[in-house]
Amino acid sequence: EQTADTVVVTDCEGVIQYVNPAYEQLTGYQKEDAIRRTPRILKSGIHDGLFYKTLWDTILSGQVFHGEIANRRKNGEVFHEVKTITPLRNVRGEITHFVATGKDITERKRAEENLRKAYDDLEVRVQDRTEELQIANSELEDEINQRFRAEEALQATNRELTRFNTAMVGRELRMIELKKEVNELCGQASQPPRYYLDFEKEQV
């Protein structure tokens, strides 16, 4: 009567014969509402038929069932219990009753659900941030490659200009040498020089 855990006693058919005050407080069903009915009044619809089949197979075989169950209060709210259902036998070893005790873990389940949602939200944020970083890294890599290609093109242009300048300087030097030779031949022929080597005054 005084335990904080819910206590339900049923006959071997599952018909409720006793509930304690903790059961009344947790479920919203008073004794007169629950007695002569079955625990199906608390069925939440969350568990499938296999769950309940496994439960009944366990206790009808004389074993103790222990597990978490989601039930529904009289007002429709879902609550969670850690449930232990123990078969009781008579002197002949026959199962006559079942005693079910339950500990309310609704707040713990809510906290776990909130933690799971927070974790899922964090996972989404981490995934989004990771994708943003991957995009940024890809864009940075593309920019680096573009700059590298531009630098290579500039270096190639500079090499080409250097070759061109070298060729032009060589050509100018050769022209000066040829002009000198022509002027020397003119001198030998007693003629005035044909080229002025001062380029500002040079005339052909």
Side-chain angles (χ1 to χ4, degrees), residues 114-125:
N114 290 336
L115 182 62
R116 185 191 64 78
K117 289 180 179 178
Y119 179 78
D120 290 344
D121 182 60
L122 179 61
E123 283 289 307
V124 170
R125 292 183 181 182

Side-chain angles (χ1 to χ4, degrees), residues 69-86:
I69 297 181
N71 283 325
R72 195 174 298 275
R73 294 186 174 95
K74 188 176 182 179
N75 63 7
E77 293 179 356
V78 173
F79 66 95
H80 299 266
E81 282 186 291
V82 173
K83 205 79 169 175
T84 300
I85 305 175
T86 304

Side-chain angles (χ1 to χ4, degrees), residues 155-170:
Q155 290 176 352
T157 302
N158 286 336
R159 288 193 296 269
E160 189 65 26
L161 285 173
T162 300
R163 286 195 294 269
F164 177 78
N165 287 336
T166 301
M168 290 300 295
V169 170

Side-chain angles (χ1 to χ4, degrees), residues 115-192:
L115 182 62
R116 185 191 64 78
K117 289 180 179 178
Y119 179 78
D120 290 344
D121 182 60
L122 179 61
E123 283 289 307
V124 170
R125 292 183 181 182
V126 169
Q127 183 175 356
D128 290 344
R129 185 58 179 159
T130 300
E131 291 176 356
E132 291 174 359
L133 290 175
Q134 288 175 343
I135 292 172
N137 287 337
S138 178
E139 292 175 349
L140 179 60
E141 186 176 351
D142 290 342
E143 183 177 352
I144 291 174
N145 289 335
Q146 289 175 3
R147 291 188 179 185
F148 180 74
R149 288 192 293 269
E151 184 178 350
E152 285 187 329
L154 180 60
Q155 290 176 352
T157 302
N158 286 336
R159 288 193 296 269
E160 189 65 26
L161 285 173
T162 300
R163 286 195 294 269
F164 177 78
N165 287 336
T166 301
M168 290 300 295
V169 170
R171 180 175 177 275
E172 290 296 328
L173 291 175
R174 180 57 181 159
M175 289 295 293
I176 292 171
E177 291 176 355
L178 290 174
K179 289 176 181 180
K180 286 181 178 180
E181 291 178 5
V182 171
N183 286 345
E184 289 176 357
L185 291 173
C186 288
Q188 294 174 6
S190 300
Q191 295 181 8

Side-chain angles (χ1 to χ4, degrees), residues 22-41:
Y23 174 94
E24 294 178 307
Q25 182 178 359
L26 179 61
T27 67
Y29 287 96
Q30 300 302 307
K31 290 183 179 180
E32 55 270 21
D33 298 325
I35 291 175
R36 291 184 298 277
R37 301 177 72 178
T38 69
R40 282 193 291 273
I41 61 175

